[in-house]
Amino acid sequence: MRIACPFCGERENGEFTYLGDASPKRPNFAVDGGESPERVEDAFYDYVYLRDNVAGVMREYWYHGGGCRSWLVAERNTVTHEFISVTAAPGAGAASAVRAGE
Amino acid sequence: MADFSWNVQSPLQQALVPGRHGGAGTQVGVTLEEVRGVSLVQVMARRGRVAETIKAAKKLFSVEPPDTPRAVSGRNATLIWSGPDQFMVLSARQTGDQFAKLTAGFAGVASLSDQSDGRCLIRIAGSGARQALAKFSSLDLHDSVFPAGAAATTAVDHTAVNFWREPGSVDENAVFNMLVFTSFADSLWHTILDSCLEYGVQASVAHAA
Amino acid sequence: MSGYSRSEPLARTAPMEANVRKGVTPASQSHRLPGDGIIDRRLPLQFSFDGKTMTGFAGDTLASALVANGVKLVGRSFKYHRPRGIVTAGSEEPSALVEMRTGARREPNTRATTQELYDGLIANSQNRWPSLRRDFMSINQLFAPIFVAGFYYKTFMWPAKFWESIYEPMIRRAAGLGKSAELPDPDHYDKAWAHCDVLVVGAGPAGLSAALAAGRAGSRVILVEEDTLIGGRLLSDGGEIDGLDAREWLRGAARELVSLPNVRIMTRTALFGVYDGGTYAALERVSDNVAMPDRHQVRQRIWRIVAKRSVVTAGAIERPIVFPGNDRPGVMMASAVRTYVNRFAALPGKRVALFTNNDDGWRTVETIERAGAHIVAVIDPRHEVPAQYQRLVDTYDLRVLAGVVSEVKGGVDGVRSIVVANDKNGLTQRIDTDCLAVSGGWNPNVGLSCFHRGKPTWREDIAAFVPGSAPKGMATAGAANGELSLSACLREGHGAGARAAAECGAAGKPGEASKADDEVYAIAPLWHVKGKGKAFVDFQHDVTASDVTLAQREGFESVEHLKRYTTLGMATDQGKTSNINGLAIMAEATGRTIPETGTTIYRPPYAPVAIGAFAGHHRDENFHATRLTPSHHWAAKQGAVFVDTGLWKRAQWYPRAGEKDWLETVTREVLAVRNGVGFCDVSTLGKVDVRGADAGVFLDRVYINSFSNLAVGKARYGLMLREDGIVYDDGTTSRLAEDHYFLTTTTAKAGPVMQHLEFCRQVLFPELDVQLTSATDQWAQFSIAGPNTRNLLRALADPSEDLTNEGFPFMGAREVKLRGGVTARLFRISFSGEMAFEISVPARYGAAMAENLMIAGKPYGVTPYGTEALGVMRIEKGHVAGPELNGTTTADDLGLGKMMSKKKDFIGRVMAGREALTAPNRQVVVGIKPIDKARRLRSGAHVIPKGAIPGPQTDQGYVTSVCFSPMLDQWIGLGLVERGRERTGEIIRIHDPLRNEDYEAEICSPVFYDPEGVRQRG
Ligand SMILES: [Zn+2]
């Protein structure tokens, strides 16, 4: 398998580490912001545990740890192993970025 | 009070035995060199301060730092791309606090980390260099893909290394540089040396000038 | 390709002059022909087979040399110990498998047909006892019924104990092929990468055409060929190309390819795997053609080839016909007969019978007749002589018989006669022959194109499967694509090569395709001749036609079931000559068509690959990369014993003369620290430079406690959770400047924590201005501990440094100047519970630091200590480590619940509050002391209440860490025990069924030593 790091170019998959589904977003909440603890806990439960078992194109986190140390978001077909796109995480590099959902 | 001497030690103190190794007869297909006495500083732009970082680098080194995987020669230093919006500054170690000087030059716009002791610089050249490198590097080092001045952050033996081809080194004289983590240096040296033995190796120690 | 050396495609192996035994005459080569052959008669080679010395020539394979010496019997079969010979001349060989070399280099199941001959080669036949000619186990043939399909399943079901005592030893003796060496392999192997635009697999006429087209167009081309020579069938069958003799054309093609700097030819290199994204794997047999690899040379090398496009021109394999006695030595594929004669000038038989159902088999006639031998009969079930070969009938006065071979007679030395049956009138006749050449048609090599679950499709006109689809970027051409004529191979190969080059952006011209006359290839499928006696489908696994039909009768009709029930195609040859015949017989038995019956799934490796080659350089001390601490060589000089901690080598203890065991050493080290001063290299802890305006806020989010409020010049212990609320890692983090923290991790988690922190920085909190750099290797860090620590440091530090409690209080962190001009970072932190500091200097000073600590601490009896003493002291102080941070414990389980900030969000905060993670009956960290002070506590032992019967219901936890405590003079431990903190003083039962121990112990505070912490603050 070869993964095209947007910074480094195409590399063999041994340089990368797989994390999993890139769709769940870590819930944002303000401590003592008045949100019900149950709702916050439910949101985190979804974020931590609930995953779709996709047969087809899926967005995934990959880490180029054996390279530029960038976190990447890849669209990959889990059936054919074909990568459709690979983009950098919002905070890779030093460009100004905002937290997801803000 | 007792006197304390602070002898410096290279991580290859034991592994690197200068002289000829392997091969048949007197043939030397690969030269392997540890370059000692280097100063190495990791420069990472602060968030939203990429333009200022480039400016500061240009002021210090009279050259823009690479924004793609390349190594560029600047005033008294080589700037090597090491990731998005970051690069390493490689220069000969001098007396005085080089790190403090650089920190001042990038104050407020970039974060610096002294890596002079965190890495070991190994240089590989010779007619068998590419063949030997193919045994431990997954990179395509063909001229058309990896010309002089090309750089990569990659893995050797599952360990991250900074790799670049010396700017200006062409054809049979291509020189490849590798910065490996200090603690891995002894082990990787053996792997590299083993990979080179069939071509005949000249191993030596050089000092950064 | 500058810098790469190219193998010389037409060069032959030239053994070293010294190895050539003088005075050996080739007289023994009774079946060697005069005339061409691609062998070098100037270089005779001596070899031995089953102890008998013979000679061959450079360019021979072991098989061709055996043929030249008139040897037909080369082994005994797997189950029935039937005499077996050479069937093919290629890598598909299912029968002529030998044991190569001796001693540590002994290797079983080597195909004699691919083993290059070298001077001094030693080979032995396999699976025979006591000798090849008199094999006692051939009695197995009489017990044949127990070896039928599914015999493992049927025979050995009952009684179970018979399996171990009788059946298995018997089968191990009787079955199996060859013995592997029992000594470690003395040879080296490695792996290498190669990159190209166009990878061409197979250097026959199609592959050469593809490589020429792509190479001329300017693409970077790699041409791999498993054979020692390029040319494929041209080496055996010749022909005419562009008006030239095939060998002449071949020389021209080779010259042109070698002249192209962008083409790399790799011979002796077999492609065995196709992987995602254009990655291919090939095995190069670097030194299999010599007795012993040259010094510094590997035996074999695995290539991982990255290619934008590939053209598979891997040819086709001639398939046998299944008829009674078809495994008799001397029954050989017709194409192999031609190869032995034309390429190797070795004659498999002097009176050859030919059994073919297709036109291609007829080529054999001319080969044999021109070699001065005779075709005694041509048996063709088609009842008609192909028009293009009619002339042969007249020229050689051929005896052509319409029908099939229904019986083969002969002895261990091979076929003596055959019986031919006319399938129309039922008449039979006997024909004397010493070699039966067989051709059942050609199977294109579809394997590589099917490795990504591709299904081949059936082509009726050639009665064979052809590639149905191919992995992305791959094209198939020539015989591998079902185009069996030379002209089609040249044309298709050229086209595929040119297309692949264009797709890679090559702008040059591919030139013209070479031309040859069109040939006709006609075939009438013939799979199985029924009759008396065993008719073999799979020669290597001894699977017969009746095994296949038996499987069908017993309901194993699917090809995947057929394969597993009969073991058809599961031997080292992976059924290259047998699979299609097997499924054709199954199709016939079930009344389905062959495409309906289908093929089994194709998987790599295409050809056998030694495990050693897969391991490559990574064995023994190179199994994985190792990391050395800055004081490693110094510690080695002190006689330290090292322990592997992840990739690190760490000093475990420093034995002294006269110490009787490690425990005595470790106890001495602990007492030296607690009573004086000692030091330990702790450089292995992960260290991260955390910088940026938001560094403090960032750390607040990744740690459960706060760091933004940490004062510059101070250190703090921090704990990280995973997002699910379980403890992830711990360590001390110091604030060295407003925008600079220095974070440490455990040794084990340094890498994962760095990855996690980068995830937090880049994915979760990209708005923060924070930069992370691993600084683990930059610093040599030592822990200095014991009541005399300050005295030692005063001797080492510049007199201007204030190291008093006021000037450098507990948890202080700042730079200090050392005597001699080096600046260090000093952290007043303690893992041992003693007055302690950790000191860091740039790694280049690591060895000097160790030496200087010895000098500075000499008046105080300074003692270097290892990880074991470190462990003892942390257990005495109740500090948690790896065994407690075990991926199931919460902060509160570790007694650190109070550290969790309530004022901020942090990783793991919300999930840590879940009911199950806050339940009152959780297992928490406690101290454990055996009541009997002489008892040795062992980790892993279960904790159950006193008086309870051990079992899952009464199990309340276990002992996690133990040590002999010199301070308490007994074994102590930490454990995770249900409601442990409420149970201080309770007597519990320690139950250890694994080590058969059972005793009582007391639950106590985990802090065994100096619970008030007076010593570390002193
Ligand atoms: Zn990258």
Side-chain angles (χ1 to χ4, degrees), chain B residues 168-201:
Chain B
S169 72
V170 293
D171 301 331
E172 293 303 307
N173 301 315
V175 175
F176 298 95
N177 296 285
M178 266 174 76
L179 283 168
V180 309
F181 279 110
T182 305
S183 62
F184 281 102
D186 185 286
S187 172
L188 290 184
W189 177 268
H190 284 112
T191 297
I192 293 167
L193 184 66
D194 288 352
S195 303
C196 298
L197 281 179
E198 66 170 292
Y199 314 106
V201 183

Side-chain angles (χ1 to χ4, degrees), chain A residues 1-2 10 12 17-19 26-29 31-32 37 40-42 44-45 47-49 61 63 68-72 80-82 89-100 102, chain C residues 193 195 275-279 304 306 472 701 723-724 754-768 771-774 902-911 913-915:
Chain A
M1 194 183 270
R2 314 266 305 163
E10 195 185 275
E12 62 116 358
T17 312
Y18 178 73
L19 185 69
R26 188 174 193 272
N28 260 346
F29 76 103
V31 172
D32 301 328
V40 172
E41 197 181 305
D42 283 352
F44 266 92
Y45 181 82
Y47 168 64
V48 173
Y49 291 111
Y61 286 124
Y63 178 55
C68 67
R69 292 196 295 124
S70 295
W71 275 94
L72 309 171
T80 63
H81 305 312
E82 192 181 338
S96 297
V98 292
R99 194 168 169 179
E102 282 179 4
Chain C
W193 290 87
H195 305 260
Y275 303 94
D276 294 303
T279 306
R304 281 168 286 185
V306 181
K472 213 178 166 194
R701 293 188 191 171
E723 194 70 274
D724 66 359
M754 189 67 191
Q755 176 176 332
H756 169 71
L757 293 176
E758 285 289 4
F759 184 77
C760 294
R761 183 186 89 85
Q762 299 179 35
V763 176
L764 299 183
F765 315 123
E767 75 282 9
L768 299 182
Q771 291 78 39
L772 306 167
T773 312
S774 167
K902 295 204 163 46
K903 297 190 201 117
K904 55 157 188 160
D905 178 23
F906 56 85
I907 302 286
R909 173 193 161 115
V910 173
M911 294 275 82
R914 282 180 293 163
E915 207 178 328

Side-chain angles (χ1 to χ4, degrees), chain C residues 16 92 107 174 228 252 370 421 520 623 664 742 773 845 910 950:
Chain C
M16 279 180 290
E92 70 272 29
E107 188 174 282
T228 51
R370 283 187 181 174
V520 180
F623 181 57
E664 190 179 336
F742 184 66
T773 312
Y845 299 123
V910 173

Side-chain angles (χ1 to χ4, degrees), chain C residues 193-224:
Chain C
W193 290 87
H195 305 260
C196 64
D197 295 322
V198 181
L199 169 66
V200 181
V201 184
L208 292 168
S209 299
L212 282 167
R216 287 171 188 153
S219 282
R220 289 169 67 195
V221 176
I222 292 178
L223 171 62
V224 296

Side-chain angles (χ1 to χ4, degrees), chain C residues 302-365:
Chain C
I302 282 182
W303 287 95
R304 281 168 286 185
I305 303 170
V306 181
K308 294 192 183 81
R309 292 286 183 277
S310 67
V311 179
V312 171
T313 46
I317 291 174
E318 194 171 29
R319 71 185 167 228
I321 298 170
V322 182
F323 55 91
N326 63 339
D327 65 326
R328 178 73 60 193
V331 179
M332 191 182 271
M333 300 315 304
S335 58
V337 169
R338 299 198 297 278
T339 297
Y340 288 119
V341 172
N342 294 329
R343 175 171 172 180
F344 297 107
L347 190 61
K350 288 172 181 162
R351 297 171 52 76
V352 179
L354 171 66
F355 179 22
T356 180
N357 65 341
N358 66 85
D359 295 2
D360 189 70
W362 280 79
R363 289 171 185 269
T364 317
V365 172

